[in-house]
Amino acid sequence: MGVSMTDVIVVGGGPTGLMLACELRLHGVRVVVLEKLTEPTGESRGQGLHARSVEIMDQRGLLDRFLAVSETFAVGGLFGGIVKPWPDRLDTAHPYGVATPQPVTERLLGERAVELGAEIRRGCEVVGLSQDPAGVTAELADGSRLRSRYLVGCDGGRSAVRKALGVGFPGEPATVETLLGEMAVTADPATIAAVVEEVRKTQLRFGVGPGENGTYRVVVPADGVAEDRATPPTLDDFKRQLRAVAGTDFGVHSPRWLSRFGDATRQAERYRVDRVLLAGDAAHVHPPTGGQGLNLGVQDAFNLGWKLAAAVNGWAPEGLLDSYHTERHPVGARVLDNTRAQITLLGTDPGATALRELFSTLMDFEEVNRYVTEMITAVGIRYDFGFGEEHELLGRRMRDVKLTQGHLYGLMHGGRGLLLDRTGKLSVTGWTDRVDHVVDVGEEAELDVPAVLLRPDGHVAWVGDDQEDLLMRLPKWFGPAR
């Protein structure tokens, strides 16, 4: 009996895997998402979307779905427990975050993936894989096998895909651990707020605040690092640590979910091994300081999706799929470094306290505040396209500029490339199956360059007004003319 074949197997149905499935389906790629959990956990580790992820959702026509069920926030420089006002003039038309609990993010992305034709199979655990020049075979826990042309591991920090590949995961193990959960409390809100304010003067890894459905979200340092990190803590563990840190357990009871996280910081040495790729926590783990993890994974998927679709559909130019690692590995490395810095700032020793006071003073400078905020929100990312010192926009993400015919992101819902042309004299003939051409010669347009070529992920691949120059650049990202 033969093994059924699909285009791409996505292992893991969290935000990264679901975003990737959506992106692949925009290009007609057959996708099967394999998720080992039979039901969503309900755990809300990721608390929302930063500005760059907000842009991504708008670019694919999904932002309204998030805004309908979420509050927006604009607290800038939330770095190492230091809160400053949002800086002026961020390079985005979306200078805010969206506070969406992770289960809601997963539900919205899952609904969209299914709308687009992705198949999501729950209760399917991948325990092994093998690959050959023609494809990848995934081995499931029930003994069945599934075959695909490519496979992407989006299966978290303990990734079975990464382990099966034998890809190194260097970094530092956890040295401290934190308990996180949602539960009911009997203490009154005023008492909770007063205790939290006092404790956080010295212990910034502590917090008790309103959660979902009348519960409270509790974050408290653990007593050491558990031997078995996969085992969830108990309610008694929370009570004991709350009393030790805050002098009271607030009468916690009826937990919705309980979990733990550490400060382990690791990154996969390679994001691609032939036909198998890694994204999200399978490629990098770090402490949740700054709320970057979910966003980093979603942005991995956004970078990879169109490139993998190009490979499946046969028009990927040489090196396009490898550019996923080339572009995203340095981004992940920088996030690991800034979370290391934040963990130091969150320390309770005198040196950390002094450093935090100094850093807080520095962040009162607008330029420093903007730099840190662009780092945390990923707005500051610029990919190195290897063309030397060309236009400052090259490699950056194009913000959602106003056009005569609406706004830029409204034209990018289909996931194609886009030539935004103010000259009216350029052409993408030969690439019209992959690149849209929008002529916008109106005075209202915010674009202050003659024309830009945007990749499907919104990054600027070319700036100029010369047709011959454009014809040199199109094949690098979109393959040969047809």
Side-chain angles (χ1 to χ4, degrees):
M1 182 174 145
V3 179
S4 61
M5 182 84 165
T6 191
D7 289 329
V8 177
I9 294 171
V10 175
V11 183
T16 301
L18 294 171
M19 186 77 220
L20 180 60
C22 290
E23 287 296 289
L24 291 169
R25 283 303 304 152
L26 288 177
H27 299 276
V29 173
R30 294 172 300 162
V31 184
V32 177
V33 179
L34 303 179
E35 167 55 56
K36 71 178 180 181
L37 297 177
T38 54
E39 294 293 332
T41 64
E43 288 188 15
S44 187
R45 288 172 168 252
Q47 284 292 287
L49 304 176
H50 281 316
R52 175 70 12 123
S53 300
V54 172
E55 290 181 336
I56 283 173
M57 297 310 167
D58 194 22
Q59 207 172 320
R60 293 299 184 258
L62 294 172
L63 182 56
D64 287 347
R65 301 187 191 199
F66 281 86
L67 294 177
V69 294
S70 312
E71 299 291 321
T72 60
F73 63 89
V75 54
L78 187 58
F79 188 87
I82 300 165
V83 181
K84 298 291 181 181
W86 199 283
D88 294 332
R89 305 189 313 278
L90 280 186
D91 184 23
T92 177
H94 300 75
Y96 58 87
V98 176
T100 312
Q102 185 167 332
V104 178
T105 297
E106 291 181 6
R107 176 175 61 80
L108 294 174
L109 291 176
E111 288 170 356
R112 180 57 174 157
V114 171
E115 282 172 23
L116 291 168
E119 182 184 351
I120 301 175
R121 299 184 191 173
R122 287 194 163 274
C124 292
E125 181 179 3
V126 173
V127 294
L129 60 86
S130 58
Q131 59 174 320
D132 54 61
V136 187
T137 302
E139 302 164 27
L140 276 56
D142 65 3
S144 63
R145 293 185 299 164
L146 189 62
R147 186 108 169 116
S148 60
R149 296 172 64 186
Y150 291 91
L151 182 146
V152 186
C154 305
D155 51 341
R158 299 182 184 91
S159 170
V161 172
R162 186 189 66 243
K163 291 171 183 173
L165 281 177
V167 168
F169 204 41
E172 305 92 55
T175 56
V176 297
E177 197 163 271
T178 307
L179 306 183
L180 169 67
E182 282 189 10
M183 57 205 77
V185 298
T186 54
D188 67 276
T191 300
I192 293 172
V195 172
V196 169
E197 183 179 7
E198 185 61 31
V199 174
R200 281 185 61 83
K201 288 177 182 175
T202 55
Q203 181 49 272
L204 289 168
R205 287 170 49 222
F206 172 82
V208 181
E212 295 285 291
N213 304 320
T215 62
Y216 272 71
R217 184 178 175 91
V218 177
V219 188
V220 62
D223 180 19
V225 177
E227 283 188 35
D228 185 359
R229 300 286 317 289
T231 305
T234 64
L235 186 62
D236 282 341
D237 291 334
F238 275 83
K239 288 181 177 180
R240 186 170 59 251
Q241 290 308 109
L242 285 167
R243 287 194 292 266
V245 174
T248 172
D249 63 15
F250 303 103
V252 293
H253 65 94
S254 309
R256 286 186 70 206
W257 55 270
L258 305 173
S259 68
R260 65 175 92 240
F261 62 86
D263 64 338
T265 307
R266 297 183 180 279
Q267 186 176 25
E269 289 178 331
R270 301 167 66 187
Y271 282 15
R272 178 189 178 197
V273 180
D274 300 324
R275 291 179 173 269
V276 182
L277 301 103
L278 301 170
D281 289 353
H284 37 69
V285 294
H286 54 84
T289 42
Q292 300 168 94
L294 184 152
N295 291 273
L296 183 59
V298 165
Q299 291 160 28
D300 283 346
F302 205 63
N303 182 285
L304 174 59
W306 68 278
K307 297 173 180 177
L308 187 52
V312 170
N313 290 328
W315 58 262
E318 185 179 355
L320 183 66
L321 202 48
D322 284 329
S323 74
Y324 166 62
H325 171 96
T326 306
E327 292 174 1
R328 295 303 297 174
H329 195 276
V331 170
R334 286 196 294 271
V335 171
L336 265 61
D337 276 346
N338 86 50
T339 58
R340 288 182 177 107
Q342 290 186 75
I343 288 294
T344 302
L345 288 171
L346 289 169
T348 55
D349 60 278
T353 302
L355 189 62
R356 193 161 59 244
E357 289 175 1
L358 172 60
F359 209 89
S360 180
T361 302
L362 290 174
M363 284 184 62
D364 288 332
F365 292 93
E366 181 77 7
E367 287 298 312
V368 177
N369 190 10
R370 183 181 306 110
Y371 177 85
V372 171
T373 304
E374 288 190 349
M375 178 171 62
I376 292 290
T377 60
V379 167
I381 288 173
R382 181 182 184 184
Y383 297 138
D384 180 2
F385 289 165
F387 297 119
E389 292 299 315
E390 289 196 34
H391 197 281
E392 61 179 2
L393 280 177
L394 201 68
R396 289 191 67 88
R397 189 84 188 289
M398 193 79 195
R399 70 180 185 279
D400 188 24
V401 294
K402 290 194 183 78
L403 304 172
T404 314
Q405 46 196 300
H407 64 114
L408 175 63
Y409 290 176
L411 303 176
M412 302 195 75
H413 293 179
R416 291 156 54 86
L418 177 71
L419 176 66
L420 184 56
D421 178 10
R422 294 203 68 195
T423 72
K425 299 173 183 174
L426 299 170
S427 167
V428 291
T429 300
W431 286 272
T432 53
D433 58 329
R434 289 152 280 171
V435 182
D436 293 327
H437 183 193
V438 175
V439 177
D440 196 89
V441 294
E443 290 302 312
E444 305 94 282
E446 285 185 337
L447 191 66
D448 51 7
V449 292
V452 288
L453 177 66
L454 302 180
R455 308 191 316 185
D457 60 1
H459 283 267
V460 177
W462 174 82
V463 181
D465 58 6
D466 182 78
Q467 179 68 34
E468 291 303 314
D469 194 32
L470 173 62
L471 290 174
M472 296 280 288
R473 196 60 57 87
L474 277 163
K476 174 178 171 60
W477 300 111
F478 299 102
R482 289 179 175 172

